[in-house]
Each structure stands twice: as C-alpha cells, then as structure tokens.
Amino acid sequence: MTDRVWWHSPRLLPEGATGSRAQPAIRIFGRWARGPLLSLMRLWRRNIQLRVVASTLLLSMAVVLVLGVVVIGQVRNGLLEAKRQTAQSQAEGGFAVAEDLAGMAGENGENAGRSVDAGNWMTELVGQLASGGQGVFSVVAMPSRLAGAPFAEEPFSAPRGPRVSQALELDLPRSISEDLRAAVDSDRSVHWQYGSIVNADGTSEAGLIIGRRLTDNLGNQYQLYYLFPFTQEEKSLSLVTGTIATAGLFLVVLLGAIAWLVVRQVVTPVRMAARIAERLAAGRLQERMKVSGEDDIARLGESFNKMARNLQLQIQQLKELSRLQRRFVSDVSHELRTPLTTVRMAADVIHEARGDFDPATARSAELLLSQLDRFESLLADLLEISRFDAGAAHLEAELTDLRDVVQRVVEGAEPLAERKGGRLLVRGAARPVVAEVDPRRIERVVRNLVVNAIEHGEGKDVVVRLAAAADGEAVAIAVRDYGIGLRPDEAERVFNRFWRADPARARTTGGTGLGLSIAVEDAHLHGGRLEAWGEPGGGAQFRLTLPRGAGGPLAGSPLPLEPHDARARRPVSVAAGREQADGAGPGAAGPGRDGGKDGHGN
C-alpha cells in the first residue's frame, strides 16, 4: 500500500465510501458547468473585442509582475546593502569603544592595586554600548570558547554567562549560530551574517548579526555581537511592495479600459458593417452604414456604402433584365402559337398529300412535320419555364398512389423500350406508395426520366424503383439505366437549361434541353428534390424524393442515390458523399437553381 502513488491510491476516499457514489455528483457538476463554459467559449470565439481586451490585460499583468519583481528585488538589495554598511559602521565603532574601555579599566585597576570584577564590567559595557541604539540594535556579550579548539591561541577564560542589553529575552543559541561563533573565535576580525533574531517566546524577525572577539578588563577573551533587526527595512519594503501592487493594479485596469475603448472604436464600425451586410444579403438593399469623420474607418464606410449602391443598382438592372427576358419569352411564346397553328394546319395538309409529290418533296414534307412537332414541344416547355420564372406555377395536390403514376408511364414508354431493345422493370410496387402530389406534374417528371433512361441506356434494361420511408415522412422514385453514364461533374450540371453532355450532338436530335429543368422545378414545387448519379460506362440513376405531404419537411430519402449494383464506389464523387447522409445528391438543383439536360435528357 505504501508503494502506491497518491493518484492511484484508494485511500483518497473516506472509510466506507465508494467511487461510484461520487460519479453522479461529478456528472451533475459537469452538466451544470457545461452550459456556462460553452457560452463563454462561444463568446470568446465570436467577440474580437473581448479577446483583445483579455489579451491586453494578461500581457499587462505579466509586464507589471515582471517589473514589480525586478523593482522590489532592487529595492530589497539596496535596503540590505545600506543596512549592512550602516550596521558595520556602528558595530565597528562599538568594538572600538569596548577595546578602549577594557584598556582604561585595566589601567585603573592596576593603579588602584585591585582588580575590577569582570562580570560587572561586562554588564556595564553592554548597557553603555546599547544605550545609543534603543530600538535599532541589541548588544550581546558571550564568553569565548577557545579551550580545546584547534585555532586556540590564547589562554582559556573561565566561562561567564552572556550579557544582553535592555533585558531582552533572546533565544541566543538560535539567534547566534554555531558557525558564526566559531568564525568569531577563529580570529579577531569582524564577522557578519544574515539570520533570524529569535525571541524567547519563539517569535523571530530577520536581522543582521555582527560579531568580534575582544579582551575584557582582565585580559580574558569574550565575544561581542551587535544584532540589527530589519524591522524598519521590512516596513519600507512592505510599503514599496504595496505601492507597486496598487499602482500595477490601477495600471492594468487602466490599460484594459484603454484597450476596450480603442478596440471599440475599430470593432463598432466592423460590427455595423457585418449587420448591414447581413441585411443586404437578406434583400434589404437600401441599408447603408453611418459614416462620420474622415479617418480610415470613415473611408471604409464610404467604400462599403458605394459598393452597396453599386450592388443595388446592378441587382435592380439584372432584375429588370430578367423581368424583360421572362416577359419577352412569355410574349413570344404566346405570339408564336397563332402562326404556329396556321403553319401546323398547312403542314398537315402538305403531309397528307405527300404521296403526290416527288421523293425529295415528300421527304421535305415529313421533315417539316417532325420539326413542327419539335418546335411545338419547345414552345410548350418555354411557356412552362416562363411560368416557373414568373412564380405563376400552382400545385394541384391530391393523395396519389405513385404506383399508378409509374404504371401509366411504363405502359406509355414500353414501345420505345422495345424499339431500343431493352425492358422496363418496376421494383418496390408490392406495397402502396402514397403521397400528396400533383399527378400531372409527377407523371411528367417520371416520364422524362424514363424516356431519358431508355434513350441513353444503349438497349439495356431500365429499372424503376419505388419506396416509402419507414417513418412515413418521404417517398422516392429512382430510375436506373446501364448506358453511357455520367461523370461526376456532368451529374452536377445535368439539370442546367440546354446543357448537353455531348456538345458535338446536333441540336436537331434529342429533346428540347428543358425537360430536366422543368422536372427539377416540379420537384421543388412539391418541396422535394431531384438528384442524379452516374459513372462513365456504368449507367446513371436519377432519384426523385418527395415529402409525404406537399410542402412538408424533407430530410432523408428511402432510396440510396448511388445504386447497390454500381460496379465501383467513387468516394471523391459528390454523389457518394451526399448519399451517406441521404441528403441532397450531386446534380440536385436546390430551390431556385435552374436545370436542364440535352445530352442525357429530354
């Protein structure tokens, strides 16, 4: 047990106590302290003024502490040196007086034919030497201990009791060390030592002790000591220390206040700029900073306001251009319907009479009719896009079993799949997949995805999967083909308007290039999302995820974006990364993002 270190020892707990009882209290304290600590850390990260002021205070405290230690050390050394010089001067004067008195007493005793008592003489000597230093120093006379010492040079003097000035009760053995007494007995020079002057009651104070070996009136050796307490010096040092501490405290507080004021002058405009920038980002383009003065901050505010004005002007111009463009597309689309109807009627007449034409003219009639079909489709898509852009698209939602929608699409697309040499397979239709949707729009989305998959599936099977989330919050439809596939960057751009995976492809072939853009807008109108995944040579998969209720919250998807039968996982793909969280997959156009596809879409 004794060999165990303290942090492993079970004896930290009292008898009968167990560590498990303390754990709930620790957990409660941790939960109680976690909130304030997190708030403090959040405030520290977000408030630059707090960090600057706190750093200034800490650095100021460190500087004041170092300067205080240096100054106090210098003052202490100065006081000690001055005290030592003064004490040595006084002690040497006292030693000289003691020698003179001893010589005079010896001469008087011889002349009188009698000897003066050494004890009384020493008592009088100590009293006379100490009379001029009451409260400044004490005088102690002690017998020398030359007998038996290796450095003894003179006859041993019979031991006498020590004499102490002012009837002081000193613990002499503890006040005057044995090393100092031995040094004094070694030679007649003056010896000094810093030590503690210990009273009989056990109290002590620091002081300087100076001693020398002398000869009394009878020629006997004795030790004479001057004890100088550092009472006054300690008071002076305490006064200096208190003054420095007070001045340092005021200095630190003053520096902190100065730092707070200075930083506030810089941070306040920055905070104002941040708030104005947030309001600008929220669409309040008329917000401006208040500018006062002509300093750098004022110039920053003026530049910020100028930037905001230019941005507001540019955005207004862009909005106006966008409005004009939408209006132009809408007007042109409407205006074209009347001449297009006339051209359609004439084309139908010509097409029906193509049997009477020569082969070249008959072929021209067929091409005219096919391109009119394409033109009508493009015009319809442009009208639909213009409705989305103008915010005029409305949702006619009703509870619908998506299996019926998929079945209608599959039945209509089977002839195309047979011509391409593939099959349409439906998975997940065993259980109802019900959601509140606009059947017409969802059928248009699914038809677009299925037709795209057939056209780009290279004659291979196309798989349509349906699923509903276990929590009943979302439903999904995924269309998988095994054709040419998509690269990761193409999966991100596939929903852009008029975008083509193959730029060399003729504009006279394929769809209008707006099918997937319209599909994305239909998905967003329901509060859902349309996402794409693909890999070159491994096919592609498009996933439509919808909330169970139109416009409801949508988190994950019941179907993975990257299919399980994918031949290789691509961790660098945006699709694979997002599929881990079943969130928005690659190629998904967020709310307000345009999308369209022609290289791999209609």
Side-chain angles (χ1 to χ4, degrees):
M1 180 71 70
T2 57
D3 294 336
R4 290 177 125 181
V5 292
W6 66 269
W7 54 83
H8 291 161
S9 175
R11 306 309 299 168
L12 289 175
L13 298 175
E15 292 292 339
T18 61
S20 60
R21 295 181 181 178
Q23 291 177 358
I26 295 175
R27 287 196 297 268
I28 292 174
F29 176 77
R31 288 194 295 266
W32 175 80
R34 183 178 180 181
L37 287 177
L38 290 177
S39 301
L40 184 60
M41 292 176 62
R42 191 180 302 111
L43 180 63
W44 177 265
R45 290 194 304 268
R46 299 183 61 180
N47 196 323
I48 187 174
Q49 186 174 5
L50 174 63
R51 294 201 301 270
V52 172
V53 173
S55 302
T56 302
L57 287 176
L58 291 176
L59 293 176
S60 301
M61 289 175 61
V63 172
V64 169
L65 182 62
V66 172
L67 290 178
V69 171
V70 173
V71 171
I72 291 174
Q74 293 293 332
V75 171
R76 178 178 177 275
N77 294 335
L79 291 174
L80 287 177
E81 183 64 21
K83 183 68 175 180
R84 186 182 64 81
Q85 293 178 359
T86 303
Q88 282 185 338
S89 177
Q90 291 178 346
E92 288 176 355
F95 295 151
V97 170
E99 288 181 337
D100 293 341
L101 291 176
M104 293 173 59
E107 292 177 359
N108 292 336
E110 291 178 358
N111 295 333
R114 60 184 176 84
S115 166
V116 179
D117 180 70
N120 293 333
W121 179 87
M122 188 171 294
T123 300
E124 294 176 357
L125 173 66
V126 170
Q128 183 178 355
L129 294 177
S131 61
Q134 293 182 0
V136 179
F137 57 85
S138 302
V139 180
V140 176
M142 302 180 67
S144 177
R145 298 181 299 179
L146 291 177
F151 45 80
E153 299 176 354
E154 301 184 13
F156 170 68
S157 175
R160 298 185 297 273
R163 302 294 190 272
V164 180
S165 64
Q166 301 175 356
L168 297 176
E169 296 181 358
L170 297 178
D171 189 347
L172 293 178
R174 295 173 62 187
S175 297
I176 304 175
S177 65
E178 292 295 329
D179 294 338
L180 180 58
R181 295 195 65 184
V184 170
D185 279 339
S186 65
D187 58 65
R188 288 183 174 273
S189 61
V190 178
H191 298 270
W192 62 274
Q193 183 183 64
Y194 292 116
S196 297
I197 301 175
V198 184
N199 298 319
D201 59 358
T203 61
S204 63
E205 56 182 338
L208 175 63
I209 304 170
I210 302 176
R212 182 182 176 187
R213 181 161 57 89
L214 300 172
T215 303
D216 62 10
N217 61 327
L218 298 180
N220 298 319
Q221 305 295 315
Y222 73 97
Q223 297 177 346
L224 185 62
Y225 294 96
Y226 276 77
L227 284 70
F228 295 89
F230 290 152
T231 305
Q232 189 62 36
E233 285 72 18
E234 287 183 348
K235 291 181 180 179
S236 300
L237 188 61
S238 298
L239 178 61
V240 172
T241 303
T243 303
I244 293 177
T246 304
L249 179 61
F250 278 107
L251 180 61
V252 169
V253 173
L254 182 61
L255 289 175
I258 293 173
W260 184 81
L261 291 175
V262 172
V263 175
R264 185 173 182 271
Q265 293 180 358
V266 178
V267 171
T268 299
V270 174
R271 290 176 177 171
M272 183 186 301
R275 289 194 296 267
I276 299 300
E278 292 174 355
R279 295 171 185 172
L280 291 174
R284 300 168 60 181
L285 302 178
Q286 72 280 1
E287 295 289 337
R288 298 293 184 270
M289 286 184 61
K290 295 181 180 180
V291 179
S292 60
E294 300 179 357
D295 54 9
D296 295 336
I297 299 298
R299 289 197 296 272
L300 174 63
E302 292 175 356
S303 300
F304 186 90
N305 290 339
K306 183 178 179 181
M307 177 191 68
R309 286 193 297 271
N310 292 335
L311 285 176
Q312 183 180 15
L313 180 61
Q314 293 292 332
I315 291 174
Q316 289 176 349
Q317 291 177 352
L318 290 175
K319 285 183 177 179
E320 183 65 20
L321 289 175
S322 178
R323 186 187 66 82
L324 293 175
Q325 181 183 22
R326 292 195 301 268
R327 180 66 178 271
F328 175 78
V329 172
S330 178
D331 292 345
V332 169
S333 300
H334 282 89
E335 293 298 329
L336 286 178
R337 296 185 67 87
T338 300
L340 182 61
T341 302
T342 304
V343 174
R344 161 64 70 179
M345 295 173 59
D348 289 340
V349 172
I350 295 174
H351 186 267
E352 291 177 359
R354 68 183 183 280
D356 300 332
F357 302 153
D358 58 88
T361 306
R363 177 58 180 163
S364 298
E366 294 176 354
L367 291 176
L368 176 62
L369 188 64
S370 65
Q371 291 305 309
L372 277 174
D373 292 337
R374 178 179 173 84
F375 187 43
E376 285 184 335
S377 178
L378 177 60
L379 185 60
D381 289 346
L382 285 174
L383 285 172
E384 188 69 19
I385 284 291
S386 66
R387 294 191 189 98
F388 283 117
D389 291 340
H394 299 288
L395 194 66
E396 298 178 0
E398 60 184 43
L399 283 178
T400 304
D401 191 343
L402 297 184
R403 296 181 301 174
D404 298 335
V405 175
V406 171
Q407 184 63 31
R408 290 196 297 269
V409 172
V410 169
E411 290 177 355
E414 278 182 347
L416 177 62
E418 292 176 356
R419 289 197 302 271
K420 294 289 185 179
R423 296 178 301 169
L424 283 175
L425 306 176
V426 180
R427 301 285 186 265
R431 285 187 281 183
V433 182
V434 180
E436 188 179 4
V437 300
D438 187 335
R440 179 183 65 85
R441 295 182 182 276
I442 297 304
E443 184 174 344
R444 180 169 60 187
V445 174
V446 177
R447 181 180 296 108
N448 186 281
L449 298 180
V450 170
V451 171
N452 285 349
I454 294 173
E455 289 182 349
H456 297 84
E458 297 182 337
K460 300 176 183 177
D461 294 343
V462 174
V463 181
V464 182
R465 289 183 173 85
L466 299 92
D471 57 4
E473 295 297 329
V475 296
I477 300 175
V479 179
R480 171 81 160 104
D481 69 74
Y482 300 88
I484 58 176
L486 292 169
R487 294 192 302 272
D489 60 327
E490 293 176 343
E492 295 179 353
R493 294 180 292 166
V494 71
F495 298 100
N496 295 338
R497 297 179 183 182
F498 300 109
W499 182 83
R500 289 176 176 268
D502 184 7
R505 185 177 175 188
R507 283 290 179 184
T508 57
T509 61
T512 63
L514 296 174
L516 287 179
S517 300
I518 296 174
V520 166
E521 296 294 345
D522 284 332
H524 294 161
L525 197 61
H526 287 80
R529 55 179 181 262
L530 182 60
E531 305 149 289
W533 169 90
E535 60 180 10
Q541 176 163 292
F542 288 78
R543 181 182 66 180
L544 173 65
T545 306
L546 301 171
R548 181 62 61 94
L554 183 63
S557 177
L559 290 174
L561 180 59
E562 183 174 356
H564 296 298
D565 59 358
R567 66 180 184 180
R569 293 279 182 175
R570 296 182 179 270
V572 298
S573 171
V574 180
R578 292 187 180 178
E579 189 233 330
Q580 297 296 329
D582 257 341
R593 173 180 170 181
D594 295 333
K597 174 183 177 185
D598 199 11
H600 194 93
N602 193 8

